[in-house]
Amino acid sequence: MNQKLTVVKIGGAFLEQDESLKAFCRAFTQLEGPKILIHGGGARASELGNRLGIPPKMVDGRRITDAETLEIALMVYAGWGNKSLVAKLQALGCPALGLSGADADIIRAVKRPVGTIDFGWVGDVQGVNHDRLKAFVAMGLVPVCCALTHDGAGQMLNTNADTIAAEIAVSLSASYDCELIYCFDKPGVLTDVNDPGSLLTELNPTQCAQLAADGIIATGMLPKLHNGFDAMKRGVRVVRVGAPAILKSTENEHTRLHHA
Amino acid sequence: MNQKLTVVKIGGAFLEQDESLKAFCRAFTQLEGPKILIHGGGARASELGNRLGIPPKMVDGRRITDAETLEIALMVYAGWGNKSLVAKLQALGCPALGLSGADADIIRAVKRPVGTIDFGWVGDVQGVNHDRLKAFVAMGLVPVCCALTHDGAGQMLNTNADTIAAEIAVSLSASYDCELIYCFDKPGVLTDVNDPGSLLTELNPTQCAQLAADGIIATGMLPKLHNGFDAMKRGVRVVRVGAPAILKSTENEHTRLHHA
């Protein structure tokens, strides 16, 4: 049996809250075995854009990445967000290595073809460099990946952090027993977003589709779940969704995804 | 005899000029053997600061780094600048790995003590993680380092890129035959900044001190030269200063530093 490796994705909102970020970093550092962290940063990117007179451009809840917005993403995700996290983890003794998809050619993507929506400089993941990531992990390092990829021809691309987390977990499942954890500010998938008591501790694709059709699962939650189910189909052994407490092994308040 | 390794530092102004940056990246990629790139980004940082209503704060030509300025440095150096460079190098087949000093704990620094000037979040290099850098180079990767360090306690620090280049070259001199090249927009040290014909092809510390005392060497040039002479004293075999053409072995138009 392969060694266990945990891939954790945290929502960008955590980067904004010093105390909850510290708590997250402590829990992440204590997580045993090889691990990889993926983070967003959209909230701060929107804020910087507003300060620069470049408001976020959204269509159907999806970020449109024009050249100016990509520059902001580079600055906020790979710069401020990634390095703040890496420095905090290092202080806790976690040997973090910040990466974008271009670094060591870790994640290649293709610019999304223009259909009914032109997403701009948005990349769909083409491949994860399994050998390089594995080599970093073998060095004892903890990759900390931001939501940026590259096309191999000099262009950086904006890529959804939930998707990057899933793709990395799928890729490393060839060598490790991978668990993928989506960490955000709720204890998991709720049928009533205002009631933590409405937590679904188990969820399969059929239930998810029904709840989505009934408008019960928040639309912002669906890409995460679709990524999670897809990752399980492609070899990731466990996918869980919940608050940072999920990183403690004693925690049972979260949503665990299941095959059909 | 140890294997040769080249440490190249480019001035931030190159990051602003697409054509000259491409030319630099091509020359750097063609450079044979293990290599490391260090870059600045001060011009763009000043510009972003101005757009955000945070003008650069300078005392005696030295940047003062308050909390807001540090955030800008993180965004511009580690984000926009580093990732633009890494993506461009990857496109040329150069396996670049972008790093700040916090990544893999590559460069630790201590916050500069407050004397007559309070430099703010500025770090003086305490140590370079020789083993980690060497491991990256052994993987065939090309570290691309920005002008940021960390204190090991969660704080990122702004550190002069010329100094970082020198410290990395000194550290790796324990394992490699190191050459340090300072690359900027002049062919080398000029006695008349407007006349490329006034190039000094050789320079030693005594000559340098005399020319500085006579006000002949530009003040902006002096820290680079002091770093260079210091690096030679501490084991770096060759230090040269010049325009990007210096990376071609056939080039003779540059300044080579010499021991006394």
Side-chain angles (χ1 to χ4, degrees), chain A residues 78 82 98-104 106-107 144-146 148-149 156, chain B residues 83 86:
Chain A
N82 194 263
L99 297 169
S100 75
D103 295 299
I106 286 298
I107 312 171
V144 176
C145 306
C146 65
L148 291 163
T149 56
M156 295 295 295
Chain B
K83 298 320 163 198
V86 166

Side-chain angles (χ1 to χ4, degrees), chain A residues 16-213:
Chain A
E16 303 291 335
Q17 299 148 358
D18 205 44
E19 278 314 305
S20 57
L21 180 59
K22 276 186 190 152
F24 170 83
C25 287
R26 275 193 298 270
F28 180 76
T29 298
Q30 282 161 19
L31 203 61
E32 281 183 28
K35 55 200 170 189
I36 295 178
L37 180 60
I38 291 94
H39 66 90
R44 173 63 73 104
S46 302
E47 188 217 354
L48 178 64
N50 284 327
R51 285 175 70 190
L52 292 170
I54 306 164
K57 295 159 195 82
M58 310 286 279
V59 175
D60 295 343
R62 310 293 289 271
R63 192 178 292 273
I64 303 296
T65 308
D66 59 12
E68 280 181 319
T69 306
L70 180 68
E71 214 168 278
I72 288 173
L74 288 179
M75 294 197 292
V76 173
Y77 303 169
W80 171 79
N82 194 263
K83 300 319 164 199
S84 301
L85 253 174
V86 166
K88 277 194 175 65
L89 290 168
Q90 287 284 353
L92 295 165
C94 175
L97 170 68
L99 297 169
S100 75
D103 295 299
D105 197 16
I106 286 298
I107 312 171
R108 289 240 182 161
V110 284
K111 184 177 181 296
R112 186 169 299 165
V114 178
T116 48
I117 300 175
D118 180 357
F119 285 96
W121 298 115
V122 165
D124 294 316
V125 176
Q126 199 175 23
V128 171
N129 195 325
H130 166 276
D131 294 347
R132 287 257 172 81
L133 269 182
K134 210 178 147 184
F136 290 140
V137 170
M139 281 174 73
L141 297 172
V142 175
V144 176
C145 306
C146 65
L148 291 163
T149 56
H150 78 136
D151 70 355
Q155 180 67 50
M156 295 295 295
L157 295 164
N158 202 349
T159 297
N160 181 278
D162 291 338
T163 306
I164 288 181
E167 293 288 344
I168 286 177
V170 167
S171 168
L172 291 175
S173 289
S175 302
Y176 297 92
D177 177 23
C178 279
E179 173 165 7
L180 170 61
I181 300 179
Y182 286 115
C183 216
F184 68 143
D185 57 355
K186 306 281 180 201
V189 181
L190 306 174
T191 55
D192 175 356
V193 76
N194 297 312
D195 176 14
S198 72
L199 177 71
L200 300 170
T201 55
E202 316 274 341
L203 190 67
N204 70 35
T206 313
Q207 294 163 328
C208 181
Q210 188 58 53
L211 290 165

